[in-house]
């Protein structure tokens, strides 16, 4: 259990060490002056803010400017901070993959996959929405039994709950096609819901070492043993837990961006924040998905 200051320091140490390893062969910047606020400091501010539920860039900057300027004395203007943070989107993705690898997520034999809605605005305003025109679309979320306008995220996790892949499509995107973007690096059993039900897809995945198993529709006969089906359903609850953490703690289903550049950066930092919490729990010998007790009250 960390105090808030200890938490900030722990996050910085993790990010700074990983960033140095990832940029050892090729520096992040090949030309120009280094920014006053280091990239590791920027990422630390973003990740600490995400854990605390501060989802807006303005809110992040104001929080650290008012409370932690002593730890980040080179904090620039809000515009410069937001620009520097957005420019690091690739390194957020690489850091997330690096930490997931350190946690052994890609070595596990069981993974789960699911989709989650990312609403751009309420349906009544969708026809007048100017953001992401030609990119967002209308879709249906079976879990919530509602239609929405925006995007759909496609998430894969290991059986321990660590995120191993993510893809973004319009809300009406085919889950089975998006599956190919989230499975690189994993092998073994892959558990999905009915949206991934497809015998041709199952057969196409087998040569890559992935055995896709899904629930059957109510009008279909399931020849698999009942104990096996029950086991699959039990595993499915885990990804619902991760989806819930992303939606509730990290506000993943809200889109507070107006272009794909900033949206990609925001998604990457939320996925990284979730994986970092798992990594910190591992260091503290706590359950990986027990995020609530990381900070002392």
């Amino acid at each position: 259990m960390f105090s808030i200051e200890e938490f900030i320091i722990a996050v910085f140490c993790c990010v700074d060490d990983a960033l140095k390893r990832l940029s050892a062969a090729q520096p992040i910047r090949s030309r120009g002056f280094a920014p006053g606020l280091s990239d590791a400091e920027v990422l630390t501010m973003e990740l600490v803010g995400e854990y605390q539920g501060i989802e807006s860039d303005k809110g992040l900057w104001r929080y650290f400017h008012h409370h932690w300027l002593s730890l980040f004395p080179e904090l620039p203007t809000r515009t410069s901070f937001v620009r520097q943070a957005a420019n690091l989107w690739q390194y957020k993705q690489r850091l997330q993959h690096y930490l997931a690898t350190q946690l052994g997520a890609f070595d596990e034999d069981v993974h789960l996959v699911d989709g989650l809605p990312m609403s751009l605005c309420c349906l009544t305003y969708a026809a007048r929405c100017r953001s992401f025109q030609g990119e967002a679309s209308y879709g249906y979320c079976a879990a919530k039994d509602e239609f929405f306008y925006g995007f759909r995220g496609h998430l894969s996790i290991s059986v321990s709950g660590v995120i191993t892949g993510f893809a973004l499509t319009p809300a009406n995107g085919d889950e089975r096609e998006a599956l190919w973007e989230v499975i690189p690096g994993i092998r073994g059993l892959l558990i999905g819901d009915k949206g991934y039900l497809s015998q041709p897809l199952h057969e196409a995945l087998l040569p890559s070492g992935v055995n896709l198993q899904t629930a059957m529709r109510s009008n279909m006969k399931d020849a698999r043993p009942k104990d096996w089906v029950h086991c699959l359903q039990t595993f499915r609850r885990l990804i619902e837990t991760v989806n819930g953490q992303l939606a509730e703690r990290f506000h993943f289903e809200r889109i507070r961006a107006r272009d794909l550049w900033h949206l990609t950066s925001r998604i990457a930092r939320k996925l990284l924040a979730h994986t970092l919490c798992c990594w910190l729990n591992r260091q503290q010998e706590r359950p990986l998905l027990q995020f609530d007790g990381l900070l002392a009250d």
Side-chain angles (χ1 to χ4, degrees):
M1 186 178 295
F2 299 100
S3 68
I4 180 59
E5 186 169 358
E6 291 171 339
F7 184 69
I8 294 173
I9 294 171
V11 171
F12 174 79
C13 291
C14 172
V15 169
D16 188 54
D17 180 66
L19 205 57
K20 287 177 180 176
R21 292 175 182 269
L22 292 175
S23 60
Q26 181 178 359
I28 297 177
R29 293 172 182 82
S30 58
R31 293 180 297 179
F33 296 101
L37 189 69
S38 72
D39 295 320
E41 290 177 308
V42 171
L43 293 173
T44 297
M45 293 169 63
E46 288 192 281
L47 297 173
V48 171
E50 282 289 346
Y51 178 82
Q52 294 185 287
I54 307 172
E55 58 176 324
S56 70
D57 295 326
K58 181 178 180 180
L60 278 171
W61 184 87
R62 291 183 64 182
Y63 172 75
F64 283 93
H65 184 267
H66 290 163
H67 299 285
W68 298 106
L69 197 57
S70 59
L71 293 182
F72 302 91
E74 299 298 327
L75 182 64
T77 62
R78 179 169 60 88
T79 302
S80 298
F81 167 76
V82 172
R83 185 184 299 111
Q84 184 178 351
N87 283 333
L88 291 170
W89 65 270
Q90 285 182 303
Y91 280 90
K92 294 172 193 175
Q93 294 177 342
R94 293 179 62 186
L95 280 169
Q96 193 279 324
H97 187 275
Y98 172 82
L99 292 180
T101 302
Q102 294 297 306
L103 288 166
F106 295 99
D107 297 327
E108 298 183 27
D109 296 326
V110 181
H111 291 79
L112 302 97
V113 63
D114 198 10
L116 60 164
M118 301 178 66
S119 179
L120 186 57
C121 61
C122 63
L123 278 177
T124 55
Y125 183 75
R128 293 172 289 165
C129 183
R130 297 182 179 181
S131 300
F132 300 102
Q133 290 186 352
E135 296 163 337
S137 67
Y138 294 91
Y140 175 73
C141 176
K144 297 182 177 181
D145 189 25
E146 65 181 20
F147 289 92
F148 67 99
Y149 177 74
F151 297 93
R152 188 184 301 275
H154 306 270
L155 184 75
S156 66
I157 67 169
S158 69
V159 74
S160 59
V162 180
I163 296 169
T164 55
F166 180 82
L168 183 71
T169 67
N172 60 356
D174 191 330
E175 290 178 309
R176 289 165 291 190
E177 292 182 6
L179 183 61
W180 293 99
E181 297 184 43
V182 300
I183 63 170
I186 67 174
R187 298 175 66 87
L189 179 63
L190 179 63
I191 305 172
D193 60 16
K194 299 174 185 177
Y196 300 94
L197 180 60
S198 169
Q199 186 61 27
L201 178 61
H202 170 80
E203 295 175 356
L205 289 170
L206 287 176
S208 61
V210 176
N211 177 16
L212 176 63
Q213 295 290 324
T214 69
M216 296 293 183
R217 296 189 177 90
S218 58
N219 61 348
M220 300 176 67
K221 184 177 180 180
D222 196 339
R224 296 172 297 184
K226 291 184 178 180
D227 290 344
W228 174 246
V229 174
H230 178 72
C231 183
L232 295 179
Q233 293 173 343
T234 301
F235 278 130
R236 281 287 306 162
R237 298 192 187 101
L238 178 65
I239 198 166
E240 293 171 1
T241 298
V242 173
N243 283 346
Q245 289 176 326
L246 288 173
E248 295 169 16
R249 177 177 291 279
F250 301 107
H251 310 291
F252 195 83
E253 295 181 353
R254 297 188 207 168
I255 297 177
R256 300 190 61 159
R258 296 184 179 181
D259 56 65
L260 285 177
W261 174 40
H262 288 90
L263 177 59
T264 301
S265 178
R266 288 175 60 81
I267 290 174
R269 85 181 183 203
K270 293 175 186 296
L271 298 178
L272 174 57
H274 187 278
T275 307
L276 178 65
C277 287
C278 293
W279 189 88
L280 290 173
N281 275 329
R282 172 68 60 84
Q283 305 307 305
Q284 297 290 311
E285 298 183 349
R286 291 161 40 89
L288 290 190
L289 297 179
Q290 189 175 322
F291 292 174
D292 286 341
L294 272 174
L295 278 182
D297 294 335

